[in-house]
Amino acid sequence: MALFGRATRPIVTPLSVGHAADCADLHGASFSHGWSSFDFERLIAASSSFGDVAYDGQSGKLLGFVLSRGAAGEAEILTIAVATTARRRGIGRALLERHLGHLGSTGIAVLFLEVAENNRAARALYTAFGFTEVGRRPSYYTAKPGEVAGAALVLRRSIG
Ligand SMILES: CC(C)(COP(=O)(O)OP(=O)(O)OC[C@H]1O[C@@H](n2cnc3c(N)ncnc32)[C@H](O)[C@@H]1OP(=O)(O)O)[C@@H](O)C(=O)NCCC(=O)NCCS
């Protein structure tokens, strides 16, 4: 299991609207279709949203975040990302661990997510947390010209 490096001592706390701009920056660096700061403000402010952030306790820099939306005992992870310079140090694991506890404490019993079939890192993380495949959506992600559109897997995990 990865350990936090000396220089990176993450603190994990609930996500708030004040994190929107930093989340948008980190999201834009992690995905080809980034979401704007305004998108994040709207999503975080919604009463059905649950989120957690990891930040560096020394510099205050955002290291990663996870955002879900849920209702009636079920939730879906909308997005999770860790800063490219902070990956493979256990931050994704710490975020997800905290997030599952957070969701469980609000009465969420089942968690779903979509992941690109070719996203090796994320799939390994989810497998380590006991998510199982419950669906596959072929040609789900848009492809660049000359590329084949990628499939999405739908994963599920019980909480509690
Ligand atoms: C997926 C992501 C959040 C993982 O964050 P992270 O902080 O690097 O992950 P961790 O260091 O906590 O790793 C936890 C486990 O995940 C798996 N994992 C993470 N990165 C991996 C990689 N590059 N290759 C293989 N397995 C990987 C491993 O099982 C790892 O455990 P180990 O280090 O003990 O082997 C990060 O790679 C990321 O932000 N990717 C871009 C955004 C993204 O794809 N999000 C998911 C969308 S569904």
Side-chain angles (χ1 to χ4, degrees):
M1 178 181 295
L3 296 174
F4 301 128
R6 263 183 184 280
T8 308
R9 296 204 170 279
I11 296 174
V12 183
T13 61
L15 177 65
S16 69
V17 171
H19 296 114
D22 288 340
C23 286
D25 286 347
L26 204 157
H27 190 267
S30 298
F31 296 98
S32 51
H33 299 291
W35 300 347
S36 70
S37 182
F38 178 68
D39 291 335
F40 274 100
E41 278 178 31
R42 239 178 352 103
L43 284 167
I44 297 167
S47 58
S48 54
S49 289
F50 308 92
D52 293 285
V53 292
Y55 65 91
D56 184 310
Q58 285 174 344
S59 68
K61 187 173 178 288
L62 186 75
L63 300 174
F65 68 92
V66 54
L67 176 64
S68 293
R69 188 168 51 191
E74 292 192 353
E76 175 191 15
I77 294 183
L78 298 178
T79 186
I80 176 170
V82 169
T84 49
T85 52
R87 288 187 190 159
R88 225 50 216 273
R89 295 187 200 163
I91 292 166
R93 188 189 293 277
L95 271 171
L96 207 44
E97 221 163 70
R98 170 68 178 244
H99 198 56
L100 290 173
H102 184 171
L103 291 171
S105 72
T106 66
I108 299 293
V110 184
L111 182 58
F112 292 91
L113 61 86
E114 268 164 15
V115 59
E117 194 169 45
N118 65 1
N119 190 339
R120 208 167 59 93
R123 286 184 62 188
L125 175 65
Y126 300 138
T127 299
F129 272 82
F131 281 87
T132 56
E133 188 179 325
V134 292
R136 183 174 185 276
R137 297 177 177 152
S139 307
Y140 187 73
Y141 296 105
T142 47
K144 292 178 189 152
E147 287 181 3
V148 178
L153 303 179
V154 182
L155 307 187
R156 177 191 190 279
R157 184 195 195 276
S158 298
I159 298 177

